[in-house]
Amino acid sequence: MSADTPQKPGSGPGPKGGESHPYGHNHPHSHDPGHGHSHDHEHQHEHDPDHGHSHHGPGDALGVMAKTPPYEPPPTPNASASEDAGSVALAEALQSSFVIVRVLLAGLVIYFLASGVFTVSSQERAIVLRFGKPVRTAGQVEVGPGLHWAYPYPIDEVIKMPVAQLQNVQSSVGWYAVTPEQEVAGIVPDVGGSLNPASEGYAISGDGNIIHARAIVRYRITEPLKFFLNHREGAAVMTNVLDNALSFAAARYRVDDALRRDVAGFKEVVMRRVNDLVVAHDLGVTIEPSDILVAPPRQVKADFDAVLSAEADRSKAISEAQGYANRVVNEARGQATARVNSGETDRNRMVQAVSSEAQKFTSLLPEYRKNPEFFRERLLVETLRRVYTNAQDKFFAPLGPNDELRLQLNREPAKPEKKMLP
């Protein structure tokens, strides 16, 4: 058969052998064992001017067909190839998505487990609640300082309890309205026409007067389980306890006693009431020294200040008078004591002198009775010897039986010498 002789459809080597199609279509196909098809379609179209149709003359060797009928090629696999490529891309995308999902799930698991790690400081204790019930660790409910782990919320809930820190609770139920800035700066708000009970707190004293009172109570949590588990809000309970104590103390004191006369007693009643309520409610805290302030209403503060000033002047005058009285009484008592002591001394000296003289005369009495005249002469001589010994000037005057002796014991003062003026 010559090269120009057309081949019938289906004759000769077909596309399966990878031979060139009689109409110029080469279809090399490679099949993998897994039935995955990778199709390389190389379409080489060689068209002559007559669209690939060769017309043979009457001298053709076959002489059978005067005109070759048009050949219709089989449908190309372009649609199935596109579907296979999309499936491969989808499979690769799903595989990549699965890898990302696995990484995200692993990260979420790690984050979930790591979120359960918590730290308890040296001044804290912690309680782990699992579905609302305390979890015991080594027989104890409290968790000590250090690094710990629990299931994340909502399985476990960790409640940290400050046990060594000093806690404060403040009551302003009986105090006038003030902003935090004014309180820090020490500024008293402007006084209105009258007290507004809707916005300002106050307390009623035992005699029906209005006073302002507030307190800051310091406490330490000594039994955290009671404080945090037995009460929904332990700090709120402490605030209510302090409010109750202030109202209780104010109702038992007169206004003057609470503001001036017995301020220390008022504070003592407040703190005693706080301790009683803490024990009654079993809060598990220990009360520390606290601050309590009592003040009159601002609307009548000037009148209270005037009363305080008058009280201060009165106390000053009484103190001065009492000091003067004490000084005079002490001086009089000193003088009386001195005179009594002097009299006692003179009495003792006189008694001793008289006793000595009496003892002396008692001892000389036997001698006197033996020879009275001689005893008198001897006493006279002894007396004169003592007198003469101490006398500066001595005068002798012989006297007769009828002579009279007159003595002038004091000398006449010496007359000053007259000096002649030059």
Side-chain angles (χ1 to χ4, degrees):
M1 186 179 294
S2 63
D4 296 332
T5 304
Q7 298 180 356
K8 294 180 181 181
S11 65
K16 294 181 180 180
E19 302 294 336
S20 61
H21 197 273
Y23 291 94
H25 299 281
N26 296 328
H27 301 276
H29 300 276
S30 60
H31 302 273
D32 55 355
H35 199 69
H37 301 281
S38 61
H39 303 278
D40 296 332
H41 303 281
E42 297 179 359
H43 303 280
Q44 299 178 359
H45 300 276
E46 296 177 357
H47 300 277
D48 56 359
D50 294 332
H51 298 284
H53 300 283
S54 299
H55 301 278
H56 304 277
D60 190 1
L62 296 178
V64 179
M65 296 178 63
K67 187 177 180 181
T68 304
Y71 173 73
E72 295 180 0
T76 59
N78 292 335
S80 61
S82 300
E83 292 178 359
D84 293 341
S87 299
V88 172
L90 179 60
E92 293 177 353
L94 290 176
Q95 186 176 4
S96 301
S97 300
F98 289 153
V99 172
I100 295 174
V101 169
R102 285 195 293 270
V103 172
L104 290 177
L105 288 177
L108 288 175
V109 171
I110 294 174
Y111 174 77
F112 182 78
L113 296 177
S115 62
V117 178
F118 64 95
T119 303
V120 180
S121 66
S122 60
Q123 297 182 348
E124 292 179 334
R125 296 293 183 273
I127 301 176
V128 179
L129 301 178
R130 184 163 297 166
F131 299 111
K133 294 183 178 180
V135 178
R136 291 184 176 272
T137 303
Q140 295 182 354
V141 177
E142 297 182 15
V143 178
L147 189 65
H148 305 277
W149 183 85
Y151 289 107
Y153 187 83
I155 300 176
D156 288 350
E157 181 181 2
V158 179
I159 300 177
K160 294 184 178 181
M161 306 171 294
V163 294
Q165 298 177 355
L166 191 63
Q167 306 294 323
N168 293 336
V169 59
Q170 181 174 354
S171 173
S172 57
V173 67
W175 202 249
Y176 50 81
V178 58
T179 62
E181 293 78 9
Q182 291 174 339
E183 186 173 1
V184 172
I187 300 175
V188 179
D190 295 335
V191 180
S194 61
L195 188 144
N196 185 6
S199 60
E200 296 184 343
Y202 61 91
I204 303 297
S205 63
D207 54 357
N209 286 288
I210 294 176
I211 61 173
H212 291 300
R214 69 174 181 178
I216 299 177
V217 172
R218 302 174 181 85
Y219 64 93
R220 296 183 187 275
I221 302 174
T222 54
E223 298 181 71
L225 295 181
K226 293 181 179 179
F227 187 81
F228 289 97
L229 295 184
N230 294 352
H231 305 276
R232 183 177 181 86
E233 291 291 340
V237 175
M238 284 297 302
T239 302
N240 294 334
V241 166
L242 185 55
D243 293 342
N244 180 279
L246 287 176
S247 301
F248 177 86
R252 281 158 178 76
Y253 266 78
R254 299 175 62 87
V255 61
D256 292 332
D257 296 334
L259 293 177
R260 300 193 315 272
R261 298 173 184 171
D262 194 11
V263 179
F266 180 85
K267 296 180 179 179
E268 183 179 356
V269 171
V270 172
M271 298 308 300
R272 186 167 60 249
R273 179 67 174 178
V274 169
N275 283 285
D276 293 343
L277 292 178
V278 165
V279 174
H281 292 285
D282 199 14
L283 290 175
V285 299
T286 301
I287 304 300
E288 301 289 338
S290 306
D291 299 330
I292 301 174
L293 181 61
V294 185
R298 295 168 298 160
Q299 290 78 5
V300 293
K301 187 176 183 301
D303 298 329
F304 274 90
D305 291 342
V307 173
L308 289 176
S309 178
E311 289 283 346
D313 295 340
R314 174 177 174 272
S315 299
K316 181 179 179 181
I318 292 175
S319 298
E320 292 177 352
Q322 191 67 38
Y324 177 76
N326 293 335
R327 184 171 63 254
V328 172
V329 170
N330 291 334
E331 291 177 357
R333 287 177 178 174
Q335 293 177 2
T337 303
R339 292 186 179 183
V340 170
N341 293 335
S342 177
E344 289 290 338
T345 302
D346 294 340
R347 182 182 69 84
N348 293 333
R349 186 173 61 251
M350 184 175 294
V351 169
Q352 291 177 0
V354 171
S355 299
S356 178
E357 291 292 332
Q359 186 178 3
K360 180 180 178 181
F361 279 103
T362 302
S363 62
L364 294 177
L365 181 58
E367 298 294 332
Y368 175 78
R369 287 178 177 176
K370 291 179 181 179
N371 191 349
E373 188 66 25
F374 175 76
F375 186 80
R376 283 195 296 268
E377 291 294 333
R378 193 184 70 178
L379 288 181
L380 179 61
V381 171
E382 291 176 358
T383 302
L384 291 175
R385 185 185 302 140
R386 187 173 59 254
V387 171
Y388 291 158
T389 302
N390 297 329
Q392 296 179 358
D393 298 329
K394 303 177 182 66
F395 302 94
F396 296 93
L399 297 176
N402 298 323
D403 295 334
E404 181 180 358
L405 178 63
R406 294 183 180 182
L407 300 176
Q408 186 177 359
L409 300 178
N410 294 331
R411 286 184 175 184
E412 293 181 2
K415 295 180 180 180
E417 297 181 357
K418 296 181 180 181
K419 295 184 179 180
M420 299 299 294
L421 294 177

